[in-house]
Every structure is written in structure tokens, then in C-alpha cells.
Amino acid sequence: MRKLRDKFTASVVIAAITMLTLAGCSSSSKTTAESTTETTKTVEATDSSSTDASGTDTASSTGAYFDADMSAEDIIKQAALEGKVGNWGLGNEYEVQALLTKYNQKTDFLSQAFDMDGFDDDSILLASAMTYNELGLVKNDYDGGYGYGDTVKYIDMNDEGVAMLEDNIFTTKEFAEANPNTVKAFIYASMKGWEYACANPEEAAEIVFNAGSSVSSEHQLYMAEEVKKLVETDTKGNAVTEYGKMDEDALEQTLNLAKKYIKLEDSAAAEKLQTLTLDDFRDSSYWTEAMASNGELGTPEKADVSIQLKWLPQAQFMGYYVAAAKGYYDEVGLNVTITPGGGDIGETTAVNSGQVDFGVTWDANLIAANAGGMNLVEVAQVYQRSGLVLVYKINE
């Protein structure tokens, strides 16, 4: 067992506060560490087979953790059988639930804290991690890292066919209709920032770090390099060269999984969720016109605009910081204020109430918000694939 030397508690607590305010998302299916006696035990060596929830025998590891050549299916079944699949349960548990369903397992999971200590002390065998954040902390030995290196592997939601799209740019439908030039100018300059950031991740990481980074410079660079992959690769592993383009198939898959796994307490909202179509939460015309304009977009109706992120400055949002630092917003006539997330008001509520003009959120959050009565619209899809993985230790 390895110990965290310098936890990243401050930034993840801020993230937790932000995600708790997301409109409509429910974690009613999650279990807590207190609800099962298994969570306090270190995994013991198992027999060569076990039985999953459907009664089917499945191969087990030959040691305390998982054999390096075990299939994703067998790993998931064994971890689920022992009740040691973890997730934060604040809006990104749906992919985990879809994955468990795929392999005929119950959709319960342990409530995972906002560090990786549960993974480190073996109370969680299969832990949720974002490729650009927690996975790097688990693998790397820089300040704040756990230093597991090659003794961990992970299961990728994209490879498993249960990926849901994440960071997008959104506004209200009313704002977009009243300020089309502003919206297109913001998209154009932001995508120019994302293109530069992906081409120059080291410089982008430095720009974000200087903007008030919540993590170390080493981790910031790791994040930038991993975020680049999410922006430039789709859910099927194909290269993406059109920054911000909406992949209809990936959006449809996200919507279908949202309808199946998002649980809304309000009955009217729950009913509306099941009727939503892509046209109810995205409009690709602004992106199409912006990217075809070569920057010739007309005078913005509103020059002073703001965007609220999901939380503190980090390379997850490097495109916007680069666009500001390089003067790309100035070039299209915009004065942009970048507002970090992590306060009492989540990004969907902030945009819907008019406190900010644009926001960054995950598609599932946008879908839930509109089902709950908001009138938001996605205008660009920055991340082209899911960054969520389930990380596990292998027997050495």
C-alpha cells in the first residue's frame, strides 16, 4: 500500500461543491462505504473462479488484485461481486452503471471520496478516475501523486461502448437567438484557443498555471497532454481535426444513456427527460457558421461576455485561457471574463439565470437541466470522447 504524500484536497472539494449543484442529477442508486462490511477489508487471494450476479461462473484473479491478462468483463464481475466498484455519484455515475448493466451486474457502487485513498487502501478495487486528473495522480510520483506507475491498468468507457460526452460550451436559447454574432465569435475564438493549446500543451499548461492553477505545474502538464487526447480523438478512436464539432452518434448515445440512468425526483421532469431529442439541447448551426467564417463574423451584439467553468483553473479548460492570453477573443471584438467554478451556484444555473453568458458542462448535466425546466443549448462540443475510466491494481 502506498500513501499519498500531498493530497489535492482543496481542488477536489471545490469540484465536489460544484457538482453537487448540477441541475437534476441524482445519485439515488449509489451505496456508501458504511452500507457494506466489505469496504473495510483488504482483498484476499481468491479461488480461480467466482459467480456473478447472473449466476455465471467468471474467472478470478490469482492474487490480491487482478491478473494483468484478465478481461475487462472478468475484472468488472469480480469487483462488482465483492461490492468494490467506486464512483463519486454526482453526475458521472451513469457510464459506470451502463458498464455494470452490460455485464449483467447490479448498478450499485461505493461512494468514492474526492481523493484516491480508497483505491490506495484497497477498500475500492475498481475506482473511477478521469484520465486527465485522478489517473495521473495514481500513476505518477510527482508532488501529490501515489506513484503506482505500471502496476495499475484501467477500463476505458469508450472502448466498452458506454461513453457519454463531457465538456461542451452552452448558453441559453434566448441569448443565442438575440446575440448570434456574439455566440459565433465566442465559438470561433475559443476553438482557435483549443487548437493552439492542443498543438502546444506545454505552453498551454504554463498559461493555465499562471492563471491561478489549483494543482502543481507537473500535474498541470500531465493534464494538458491528456486533455488534448479527449479533444482530438472521438469515442471510436478516430482522429478529430474539427475542434468543437458535434458528433451526432456520440450525442445520441449520450442522450440514450442519460434517459436510462438519470433519475429525477420530480415526476414531470422525469417524464420530460424521456421525450427529449437532440434538438432539445443542441444547435450545431452556430458552430458550423462560426468555423466557416474565417473570423469574419460581424459586430458582436454584446462585446462583454463571461463564461463559467466547472471548477478551478486547470488544463481541463486550457482552450479558453489560451484564447484570452493569445488575444483571440480581442480579435473578434470580445472582452471575455473567465469565471472559475466551485462556488455555490453551478454552471447550468448560472447561465440559465443570466449571471454569466456561457458555461462549460457535461452533456448529461445539460440534458438533466433542460428536463428540469431550463432552456439551455449546446453550441460546441469540445471533448469528443469520455475521460472516465475505472482503474485497478494488477498482481506483480
Side-chain angles (χ1 to χ4, degrees), residues 356-379:
V356 294
D357 303 299
F358 299 96
V360 176
T361 197
W362 293 348
D363 290 61
N365 299 335
L366 199 64
I367 291 165
N370 278 7
M374 295 189 189
N375 198 27
L376 308 174
V377 60
E378 174 182 339
V379 293

Side-chain angles (χ1 to χ4, degrees), residues 113-360:
F114 293 96
D115 53 37
M116 298 302 283
D117 284 358
F119 175 78
D120 188 45
D121 67 18
D122 296 329
S123 59
I124 297 175
L125 275 181
L126 200 51
S128 292
M130 303 307 291
T131 56
Y132 54 82
N133 196 359
E134 293 85 4
L135 183 60
L137 290 165
V138 165
K139 293 172 63 177
N140 295 316
D141 60 3
Y142 46 57
D143 190 23
Y146 293 75
Y148 278 95
D150 293 335
T151 65
V152 295
K153 299 180 72 175
Y154 60 85
I155 297 169
D156 191 309
M157 299 299 168
N158 302 281
D159 296 341
E160 291 294 325
V162 295
M164 298 177 75
L165 294 177
E166 296 167 357
D167 289 25
N168 63 53
I169 300 174
F170 72 99
T171 185
T172 63
K173 293 180 181 179
E174 293 83 358
F175 184 88
E177 291 169 359
N179 304 278
N181 288 347
T182 300
V183 172
K184 286 181 278 188
F186 185 79
I187 293 170
Y188 180 85
S190 296
M191 293 309 105
K192 191 173 179 180
W194 275 107
E195 182 176 7
Y196 187 93
C198 289
N200 304 276
E202 186 171 354
E203 182 181 352
E206 183 178 359
I207 288 171
V208 177
F209 186 78
N210 291 334
S213 171
S214 58
V215 299
S216 68
S217 58
E218 293 86 357
H219 188 51
Q220 198 67 263
L221 177 57
Y222 169 86
M223 294 181 81
E225 291 171 339
E226 291 300 316
V227 165
K228 168 184 169 71
K229 298 174 186 176
L230 301 183
V231 175
E232 296 186 331
T233 313
D234 68 17
T235 58
K236 298 179 177 64
N238 301 314
V240 175
T241 57
E242 296 180 280
Y243 296 88
K245 184 176 182 178
M246 299 181 198
D247 182 327
E248 297 292 291
D249 290 340
L251 282 169
E252 192 69 53
Q253 176 170 293
T254 299
L255 177 59
N256 290 339
L257 290 174
K259 288 181 177 181
K260 187 171 183 178
Y261 294 103
I262 291 178
K263 306 301 180 186
L264 301 177
E265 294 181 3
D266 182 81
S267 58
E271 183 177 347
K272 183 177 179 180
L273 171 63
Q274 299 305 316
T275 68
L276 290 180
T277 68
L278 296 186
D279 290 337
D280 291 318
F281 73 92
R282 69 94 173 89
D283 187 337
S284 61
S285 66
Y286 296 101
W287 177 88
T288 300
E289 293 177 26
M291 302 313 289
S293 70
N294 198 30
E296 302 297 326
L297 295 159
T299 303
E301 298 85 0
K302 183 181 182 183
D304 295 326
V305 295
S306 54
I307 180 169
Q308 180 165 322
L309 311 178
K310 287 184 68 63
W311 44 81
L312 297 178
Q314 57 187 40
Q316 179 181 353
F317 315 110
M318 61 186 182
Y320 314 108
Y321 288 104
V322 168
K326 293 292 181 182
Y328 299 153
Y329 291 129
D330 294 337
E331 291 173 2
V332 295
L334 295 179
N335 177 35
V336 176
T337 299
I338 301 174
T339 303
D344 294 332
I345 300 176
E347 64 276 4
T348 52
T349 299
V351 172
N352 190 66
S353 62
Q355 296 178 60
V356 294
D357 303 299
F358 299 96
V360 176

